[in-house]
Amino acid sequence: MGEFACPQFPSLGERYPVSEKLQKVSIVPLVFLIFYEVSGGPFGIEDSVQAAGPLLAILGFLVFPVIWSIPEALITAELGTMFPENGGYVVWVSSALGPFWGFQQGWMKWLSGVIDNALYPVLFLDYLKSGIPQVGDGLPRASAVLGLTVVLTYMNYRGLTIVGWLAVLLGVFSILPFIVMGLVSMRELRPSRWLEVDLHSVDWNLYLNMLFWNLNYWDSVSTLAGEVDDPAKTLPRALFYAVILVVVGYLYPLLTGTGAIPVDRESWTDGYFSHIARTLGGVWLTWWVQAASALSNMGMFVAEMSSDSYQLLGMAERGMLPEFFSSRSRFGTPLIGILFSASGVLLLSWLSFQEIVAAENFLYCFGMLIEFFAFVRLRMKYPTASQPYKVPLGTVGSILMLVPPTFLILVVLALSSLKVAMVSLVALLMGFVLQPCLKYVEKKRWLRFSTSPHLPHLGATQDEYAVEALIPVLLADSRI
């Protein structure tokens, strides 16, 4: 994942004064928070087999991490340790391109994150309806979505440390049934089934969208960087372990499911792993997989909502949103950000699984293009800066690293349906209108905006950046 550079100034992870009362997130919970922000297990990968067959699905989850997940994780490790605050990628883009584009990045990422979170009640109920058909549609389904959203939102309200250790417990429980499924399938495995492919019947749009959705959002953890214990060391290591966990967590069940029973591509839809579990292990394994799916979706929901809500807090601390977004509950959590994110989830949860994936991917693609450009711009702006973590490729090597994922983004955008493209572009244009409106509100003093005094000036050089961050600490020491 790269090398740690020895900084010539105090570690960026140590320069941000924080309340001693707030407990920081350690590496194990952070690994599982990243796991749930990106993956949460194999639930939702079934459509990749339906779209392209076993061989391309397996190759996709082998190749795609190399050309997409690893570059995104490396960028997150470098910039997340350079700017260890809750604004995350918003701060990266603001520092490189200015506050207007920083706000646009925040709008696109927050919106795509909320859309992503609307998926998890849908996936949860898709798995549950095979055992409880009543939650398949109508009032019972709507009531279940509302109840689930309220309960999980309350968990986010209680604190990120609780969410982190909850993610660990849910992750272990969600992974275990697939380990068992693999063991009981050993006698039934036929490796030749993994090689089945029909290039003439591939649905490339669905295939790429499934790969893209299941292997992105590595940068979401950057909006939690201000809550991480020693982010200069913890963040890069957590990303490294999470990449391994996510890739293995996809490939192992995929190899089991496609190799142990004859492949009927049309049957590979949301919830199909429950059928595989019943075929291989019986009813007990089916219920375990369904319970694991339910808990996995809970984990993905709380992890994504944490990133979305702390992002709004970070933007408020930078003066991009009204000051009330930066207020914390007695548990240290961003209450207003949590409520806004939960409201967005409820508004979007009526959409179908594939519609949600396509819409969020479109928005996410635009955000990643800006993020890639900001990464290169910061490398050129501070070519000799000593950083806690730096991708060991140099500026030219880093640019070449971004060529394959950029091409992939363009392909995903080109394959989007007209409906998805139009709705997404309208959402993007809303950000261009919203930012000037907020500036007008600030100018008229209808709402209070402020920048946290503990955060360094974004336009400073690296040495000035370190000095500015130390000033509040020195002033506090002088008062003692």
Side-chain angles (χ1 to χ4, degrees):
M1 294 284 289
E3 298 177 351
F4 290 96
C6 181
Q8 297 175 350
F9 46 81
S11 169
L12 278 165
E14 300 172 359
R15 296 203 303 258
Y16 287 78
V18 294
S19 172
E20 296 296 330
K21 297 180 181 179
L22 298 180
Q23 189 174 357
K24 294 296 187 177
V25 180
S26 58
I27 188 167
V28 174
L30 189 61
V31 168
F32 279 88
L33 281 171
I34 298 170
F35 172 71
Y36 273 118
E37 286 167 348
V38 176
S39 166
F43 313 103
I45 69 171
E46 297 97 331
D47 284 298
S48 64
V49 179
Q50 182 191 78
L55 179 61
L56 289 182
I58 294 168
L59 288 177
F61 284 102
L62 278 172
V63 176
F64 203 90
V66 176
I67 64 175
W68 177 263
S69 299
I70 291 177
E72 188 182 1
L74 288 171
I75 291 174
T76 302
E78 178 170 323
L79 297 184
T81 54
M82 185 178 182
F83 301 101
E85 57 179 279
N86 293 328
Y89 35 69
V90 177
V91 180
W92 310 345
V93 175
S94 297
S95 182
L97 307 175
F100 175 82
W101 287 107
F103 181 88
Q104 302 311 316
Q105 177 76 347
W107 167 249
M108 284 184 283
K109 290 284 193 167
W110 180 80
L111 192 57
S112 66
V114 171
I115 294 172
D116 179 65
N117 229 10
L119 277 171
Y120 304 128
V122 174
L123 283 173
F124 169 76
L125 295 176
D126 281 345
Y127 269 85
L128 194 62
K129 70 183 180 183
S130 62
I132 309 176
Q134 291 82 1
V135 298
D137 52 33
L139 182 60
R141 185 179 182 90
S143 301
V145 169
L146 177 60
L148 185 65
T149 301
V150 170
V151 170
L152 298 181
T153 298
Y154 178 72
M155 290 183 182
N156 273 275
Y157 167 72
R158 287 303 303 270
L160 187 60
T161 303
I162 292 176
V163 170
W165 284 109
L166 176 65
V168 175
L169 295 175
L170 295 179
V172 172
F173 183 83
S174 299
I175 292 169
L176 279 177
F178 292 97
I179 295 176
V180 174
M181 187 189 299
L183 294 176
V184 300
S185 71
M186 295 297 291
R187 294 182 179 180
E188 306 296 330
L189 283 179
R190 301 292 184 270
S192 59
R193 292 171 180 158
W194 298 334
L195 304 178
E196 294 179 18
V197 63
D198 181 4
L199 295 177
H200 299 291
S201 62
V202 176
D203 184 342
W204 292 105
N205 185 27
L206 178 59
Y207 173 65
L208 290 176
N209 269 308
M210 286 300 103
L211 291 175
F212 194 75
W213 175 65
N214 280 290
L215 288 163
N216 64 16
Y217 281 90
W218 297 95
D219 58 345
S220 292
V221 71
S222 68
T223 63
L224 305 176
E227 314 299 314
V228 173
D229 182 29
D230 191 8
K233 295 181 179 179
T234 304
L235 185 59
R237 291 171 181 168
L239 283 162
F240 174 77
Y241 297 135
V243 167
I244 297 173
L245 182 61
V246 167
V247 174
V248 174
Y250 282 145
L251 283 173
Y252 185 84
L254 190 58
L255 290 169
T256 298
T258 56
I261 62 176
V263 176
D264 176 13
R265 283 175 53 180
E266 295 304 314
S267 298
W268 278 79
T269 57
D270 307 331
Y272 189 64
F273 277 115
S274 294
H275 171 75
I276 296 173
R278 182 183 296 273
T279 302
L280 296 176
V283 176
W284 66 273
L285 189 55
T286 302
W287 280 103
W288 193 0
V289 169
Q290 289 176 346
S293 170
L295 295 180
S296 176
N297 282 285
M298 289 172 59
M300 289 187 283
F301 188 101
V302 295
E304 182 62 52
M305 181 171 284
S306 294
S307 291
D308 296 341
S309 56
Y310 276 98
Q311 178 199 320
L312 296 181
L313 181 147
M315 292 177 70
E317 288 180 338
R318 282 293 178 183
M320 296 181 183
L321 292 176
E323 191 179 67
F324 61 79
F325 277 97
S326 65
S327 62
R328 293 180 184 248
S329 71
R330 63 191 179 94
F331 301 106
T333 51
L335 176 60
I336 304 301
I338 289 172
L339 292 176
F340 264 72
S341 299
S343 299
V345 169
L346 290 174
L347 289 172
L348 294 166
S349 59
W350 57 272
L351 293 172
S352 72
F353 174 74
Q354 292 184 9
E355 287 175 328
I356 293 175
V357 170
E360 79 160 274
N361 281 351
F362 197 94
L363 290 170
Y364 192 81
C365 283
F366 275 103
M368 287 310 302
L369 288 174
I370 296 176
E371 195 170 301
F372 289 167
F373 187 73
F375 172 68
V376 175
R377 178 77 180 91
L378 287 170
R379 272 296 185 96
M380 297 175 69
K381 194 174 182 180
Y382 306 116
T384 61
S386 179
Q387 298 169 352
Y389 178 91
K390 201 166 186 176
V391 180
L393 295 177
T395 301
V396 175
S398 296
I399 293 173
L400 292 176
M401 177 186 73
L402 296 179
V403 172
T406 301
F407 176 76
L408 180 64
I409 286 175
L410 297 177
V411 171
V412 171
L413 291 174
L415 292 176
S416 298
S417 68
L418 180 61
K419 176 185 175 182
V420 168
M422 293 302 295
V423 171
S424 300
L425 287 173
V426 169
L428 291 177
L429 292 175
M430 288 174 63
F432 284 78
V433 175
L434 186 58
Q435 198 266 354
C437 288
L438 286 173
K439 298 301 291 184
Y440 184 78
V441 169
E442 180 182 10
K443 181 179 179 182
K444 290 293 185 178
R445 298 186 178 179
W446 293 340
L447 291 173
R448 180 178 173 82
F449 291 71
S450 64
T451 301
S452 172
H454 299 312
L455 298 179
H457 174 56
L458 289 177
T461 65
Q462 289 298 305
D463 290 335
E464 292 168 341
Y465 198 85
V467 172
E468 284 188 22
L470 285 170
I471 288 175
V473 180
L474 295 175
L475 290 175
D477 291 342
S478 67
R479 295 192 188 103
I480 299 175

